[in-house]
Amino acid sequence: MILVLAVVLVVILAVVVGAELFVRHTAGNKVASAVACEVQDSATASFAAMPPMLWQYFSGDYPHVSVQTAGNQVRSAKGMKVTVDIRDLRLRDTNNSRGTIGSLNGTITWSSDGIKESIQDAIPVLGSFVTSKVTTNPSDGTVELKGLLDSATVKPQIANNGLSLQVVSLTALGSEMSTDKVQQNLDSLTSKATQNYPLGIHADTVKVTDTSVEATFSTTNATIPAGSSSQTGQDCFSGV
C-alpha cells in the first residue's frame, strides 16, 4: 500500500511539474511573439518564479514579466535592443479590454554601429557620407557621424513621446544636403522606430554612453484593448 501511494504521488508530482513547465513555456512564447511582432525582432520572455505558473495562469494575475529582444533591430532602426519589465499584469477579458498592466518600464539601447547602419540603410542622402564611424560623446550628450570629408553632429532628445536625433551641426562638402533635409530624414527614421507604441508607452529619458544611446520608456495603469493597433499593420497582442 505504501509503495502504491508513493508511485501515485510521484506520478501526480510529475504531471504537475510537467504542466507547470508547459504553461510557463507557452505563456513565455506568446508574450515574446507579441513583442517580436511589435518591434520586428526576436524576443524572449520570463515570468516570476512565484507564485507557481499554473496559479498565475488560472488566476490571470502575473506579478512580474521580463522581456528582452535580440538586439538586431527595432522596426527600421538597426542595432536597437529592448528590455522590458512588466509589473502586475492582470488578464481579464471584457468587451473592450483584455486586462490591465500596473506598470511597464523599458530601456532601448541603440549601439553606435546600429546608428551608422540605420542611417546608411534608411537615409541615403545622409548615409552616403557616413562611411567612417559613429562616435558617441557622453560628456556633451551628442553623437558624431563622420565620413571622409563630411560630418554631422546630432543630439538625442525626447520628442513626441519617442526618441529624436536633433542636428547640432552639419558639414557637407560638395553636397546639396541641408540641415532641414537631414533633420526630416532623421525624424522619419526615429519616429518609425520609437513612437506610436501601444498601451500609452512613451519615452521618459535619454542619455549618451560610451558605446550607445539609451532611452527609457514607460507606462502605468494601462488597459490592454481587445483589439490593439500597431505600426506593423497587425494586432500584435491579440494572441496574448
Side-chain angles (χ1 to χ4, degrees):
M1 181 63 70
I2 294 175
L3 179 59
V4 171
L5 288 175
V7 171
V8 171
L9 289 174
V10 169
V11 171
I12 293 174
L13 180 61
V15 170
V16 171
V17 170
E20 171 78 8
L21 295 176
F22 174 78
V23 172
R24 188 173 290 273
H25 176 74
T26 300
N29 282 346
K30 286 188 175 183
V31 173
S33 295
V35 173
C37 168
E38 189 64 46
V39 304
Q40 299 175 24
D41 191 10
S42 59
T44 57
S46 61
F47 295 80
M50 294 298 292
M53 195 63 199
L54 287 172
W55 177 269
Q56 297 181 50
Y57 175 77
F58 286 113
S59 68
D61 295 340
Y62 301 85
H64 184 204
V65 184
S66 298
V67 185
Q68 180 172 290
T69 67
N72 298 310
Q73 63 187 45
V74 171
R75 297 171 176 168
S76 58
K78 306 299 182 182
M80 268 193 183
K81 183 175 184 177
V82 178
T83 57
V84 179
D85 184 88
I86 301 171
R87 302 283 177 169
D88 298 325
L89 170 63
R90 302 175 185 273
L91 298 182
R92 305 282 191 276
D93 277 330
T94 64
N95 290 333
N96 57 4
S97 171
R98 297 296 309 279
T100 60
I101 290 176
S103 67
L104 180 151
N105 292 279
T107 300
I108 285 181
T109 303
W110 198 4
S111 68
S112 56
D113 286 341
I115 295 173
K116 175 182 176 180
E117 184 180 356
S118 300
I119 291 175
Q120 288 177 329
D121 289 349
I123 312 177
V125 67
L126 179 60
S128 61
F129 78 75
V130 184
T131 56
S132 181
K133 63 178 180 177
V134 171
T135 303
T136 54
N137 304 303
S139 58
D140 61 1
T142 62
V143 177
E144 189 173 8
L145 317 173
K146 289 184 177 181
L148 293 176
L149 299 174
D150 309 303
S151 67
T153 300
V154 298
K155 189 176 183 66
Q157 297 179 355
I158 301 300
N160 299 318
N161 293 323
L163 175 64
S164 173
L165 297 178
Q166 297 294 315
V167 178
V168 176
S169 64
L170 175 67
T171 301
L173 300 177
S175 172
E176 297 180 357
M177 287 188 299
S178 67
T179 299
D180 288 343
K181 182 65 174 179
V182 171
Q183 188 63 66
Q184 290 174 8
N185 283 279
L186 288 173
D187 289 345
S188 177
L189 170 64
T190 56
S191 64
K192 290 176 182 177
T194 66
Q195 293 180 20
N196 299 317
Y197 283 108
L199 310 176
I201 299 172
H202 58 274
D204 295 314
T205 65
V206 62
K207 68 176 181 179
V208 178
T209 72
D210 290 332
T211 58
S212 66
V213 173
E214 291 185 2
T216 61
F217 287 71
S218 70
T219 189
T220 57
N221 301 319
T223 298
I224 305 171
S228 60
S229 60
S230 167
Q231 273 205 5
T232 63
Q234 306 177 55
D235 185 1
C236 291
F237 291 86
S238 61
V240 176

